[in-house]
Amino acid sequence: MGHTAEAEAGSGGLTATEHRLANGLRVVLSEDHLTPVAAVCLWYDVGSRHEVQGRTGLAHLFEHLMFQGSKQVSGNGHFELVQGAGGSLNGTTSFERTNYFETMPAHELELALWLEADRMGSLLTALDEESMENQRNVVKNERRQRYDNLPYGTAREKLFALMYPEGHPYHHTPIGSMADLDAATLEDARAFFRTYYAPNNAVLSVVGDIDPEQTLAWVEKYFGSIPAHEGKPVPRDGSLPDVLGGQHREIVEEEVPARALMAAYRLPADGPRACDAADLALTMLGGGESSRLYNRLVRRDRTAVDTGFGLLRLVGAPSLGLLQVVASGDVEVPVIEAAVDEELARFAEEGPSPEEMERAQAQLEREWLDRLGTVSGRADELCHYAVLFGDPTLAFTAVQRVLDVTAQEVQEVAKARLHAANRAVLVYEPTAPAGDGADGDDSSDSDSDPSDEEAGR
């Protein structure tokens, strides 16, 4: 087992150590003896951006298959064993990774490590046509519930298709299409596992009330004999110009509760300070009831019942600023859009006030500290920065990077990116008769992130 020097954290005294097994598995440990629990998080460097045309949704489908049994654990045994021991677990798939995680009573840590190692090393022995067909139907039903049969459910899927051109690795969302889910074969799934589910394509983090020496011994015992896999293809290039250079627009006539404006803006990829500046800009403009757009559209003009503006951070492609405004009563979308454009132009011209900067930075700081304050959130962020940026301890300095951003940087990114020539727009027009659900009730799943599909158990 290789070992790296301990990396001292830059926030709240948090620390982490990184180690590497001979088969390439990276292991990150962070002790926290505040409560007798331990979190295990395993990130594989594979997501929907690695999929090929005609097989969209395969990464998410395979995430479900990982819960269908392995050599030593049959059927639903993974869930039964973890929950029977008092733990919780799940898995999610995004554009850029697939992760699996358990939070356990500290004395049950070995069980979680054994379970993750067993399916990493032996899933193919249990993968068959029955489990493939079972989970194919589960994922198709998930698509119906979260996308096709939900008001505004396909909005973000449509926006991604408009923002990223045909053939771009981020053109489709992780849920995939019904046709591609139907087309996926058992051999497709087996080939996917052999290519991506290898120790040298993964990062394992363990955070909480742990004995590092004993934890490393268990990791070596259960993961050390799993062979590395070579031949993983390099992800397709996701780079694009900084701005669209024009506006993409689509009218969507559907049976939705109210008119709505949905839009996406092309923003800097995650990593540089400009992405943190964009996050702050969107927080001031649409992050909660103190934001400019909420105050203008909901409180002052009363043209909307709800509004939100948030950042979807991406590393391998431009990030997206996602705007949603649900109209009030019979208000027409052009009225709302004109007010949005006016507020964005004013923000770009004037920049944020000192009070807005302080409030937005405090809001993002709280969100980050909430994540790092739980063993499960910290384990996830350590994997995040290890897989996507190469250094897990960047998670501990993320708060300070947000606090270091200046008002000028926020104004610059707003002026360069938050305008009509750099966005895709969806205008929702209800097909239901007037008065039939057009009271402004927002039935959309605004918190649902299409970049983060769960196993859903």
Side-chain angles (χ1 to χ4, degrees):
M1 176 182 289
H3 177 266
T4 65
E6 181 168 314
E8 292 294 332
S11 174
L14 301 176
T15 61
T17 59
E18 184 176 352
H19 315 262
R20 190 182 294 269
L21 273 58
N23 59 11
L25 178 67
R26 296 173 67 185
V27 184
V28 183
L29 306 180
S30 180
E31 287 186 78
D32 183 344
H33 301 290
L34 188 62
T35 55
V37 295
V40 173
C41 188
L42 186 60
W43 272 44
Y44 291 92
D45 187 10
V46 59
S48 61
R49 68 169 173 163
H50 297 85
E51 295 166 350
V52 298
Q53 189 172 3
R55 290 297 182 269
T56 64
L58 188 56
H60 178 222
L61 173 61
F62 198 86
E63 173 220 316
H64 280 253
L65 291 172
M66 284 282 279
F67 290 95
Q68 285 295 287
S70 50
K71 185 175 182 179
Q72 307 296 332
V73 183
S74 61
N76 202 40
H78 195 115
F79 271 85
E80 293 169 356
L81 287 168
V82 170
Q83 292 171 343
S88 62
L89 73 162
N90 214 325
T92 70
T93 308
S94 77
F95 290 101
E96 299 178 323
R97 59 96 183 104
T98 306
N99 67 348
Y100 303 89
F101 44 91
E102 295 89 6
T103 301
M104 307 288 286
H107 66 278
E108 296 286 2
L109 171 60
E110 184 180 9
L111 172 63
L113 294 172
W114 174 74
L115 286 167
E116 288 295 356
D118 192 59
R119 61 181 174 183
M120 177 192 281
S122 69
L123 185 86
L124 288 187
T125 63
L127 185 58
D128 56 21
E129 290 285 1
E130 182 180 358
S131 58
M132 180 78 176
E133 194 59 31
N134 175 278
Q135 290 308 302
R136 187 203 314 274
N137 290 330
V138 169
V139 173
K140 288 170 66 177
N141 193 49
E142 180 181 338
R143 181 184 168 89
R144 294 184 188 100
Q145 291 179 335
R146 296 185 60 192
Y147 287 75
D148 299 334
N149 297 334
L150 185 73
Y152 317 109
T154 59
R156 292 187 179 181
E157 188 175 47
K158 294 177 187 294
L159 288 172
F160 287 112
L162 291 173
M163 292 298 287
Y164 302 113
E166 188 75 35
H168 190 276
Y170 295 73
H171 180 73
H172 66 279
T173 56
I175 194 68
S177 71
M178 285 293 198
D180 287 355
L181 289 170
D182 281 334
T185 67
L186 181 60
E187 186 47 44
D188 289 332
R190 287 172 171 163
F192 194 87
F193 179 86
R194 288 190 291 266
T195 301
Y196 295 108
Y197 277 74
N200 54 318
N201 194 46
V203 173
L204 172 70
S205 66
V206 186
V207 176
D209 188 17
I210 63 173
D211 177 335
E213 185 176 345
Q214 177 62 77
T215 302
L216 284 173
W218 284 331
V219 171
E220 178 65 53
K221 176 181 179 181
Y222 298 122
F223 289 89
S225 61
I226 302 172
H229 298 175
E230 304 301 334
K232 172 188 169 183
V234 176
R236 290 171 291 150
D237 182 19
S239 60
L240 291 168
D242 286 349
V243 296
L244 280 169
Q247 183 174 209
H248 300 315
R249 194 176 191 85
E250 184 178 329
I251 307 296
V252 184
E253 295 183 352
E254 287 185 2
E255 206 171 312
V256 293
R259 294 186 179 98
L261 170 70
M262 310 286 185
Y265 295 78
R266 186 178 290 177
L267 295 173
D270 198 5
R273 287 169 64 99
C275 189
D276 290 324
D279 204 354
L280 286 164
L282 301 193
T283 300
M284 294 178 220
L285 287 163
E289 296 184 5
S290 64
S291 66
R292 290 196 181 199
L293 290 176
Y294 192 93
N295 279 320
R296 169 69 184 273
L297 299 171
V298 180
R299 286 204 173 100
R300 197 192 88 179
D301 296 353
R302 298 187 179 181
T303 54
V305 295
D306 191 28
T307 182
F309 208 178
L311 178 66
L312 174 62
R313 292 175 178 259
L314 297 170
V315 173
S319 301
L320 291 185
L322 296 169
L323 171 70
Q324 172 179 297
V325 184
V326 179
S328 176
D330 294 328
V331 175
E332 300 281 347
V333 170
V335 174
I336 292 172
E337 190 172 0
V340 168
D341 287 343
E342 185 179 314
E343 290 301 321
L344 295 187
R346 180 181 293 116
F347 187 79
E349 179 64 27
E350 300 173 355
S353 69
E355 293 78 16
E356 285 178 313
M357 279 292 293
E358 181 179 6
R359 185 166 56 244
Q361 286 177 316
Q363 183 174 332
L364 295 185
E365 179 183 27
R366 176 188 57 78
E367 291 171 2
W368 262 109
L369 294 179
D370 283 347
R371 288 283 290 161
L372 296 178
T374 66
V375 292
S376 57
R378 195 182 320 157
D380 191 56
E381 292 300 340
L382 289 170
C383 281
H384 171 192
Y385 281 95
V387 169
L388 298 180
F389 296 97
D391 181 0
T393 61
L394 288 174
F396 297 145
T397 56
V399 171
Q400 190 58 50
R401 291 195 297 275
V402 170
L403 298 179
D404 287 342
V405 173
T406 67
Q408 181 180 351
E409 289 174 295
V410 173
Q411 183 179 9
E412 287 173 355
V413 77
K415 186 175 294 186
R417 305 295 190 105
L418 298 180
H419 52 75
N422 185 40
R423 73 180 176 202
V425 174
L426 300 178
V427 176
Y428 274 84
E429 291 289 344
T431 57
D436 184 9
D439 58 355
D441 175 31
D442 178 16
S443 299
S444 68
D445 186 9
S446 58
D447 294 328
S448 174
D449 185 350
S451 72
D452 205 13
E453 306 295 351
E454 295 190 4
R457 288 169 173 77

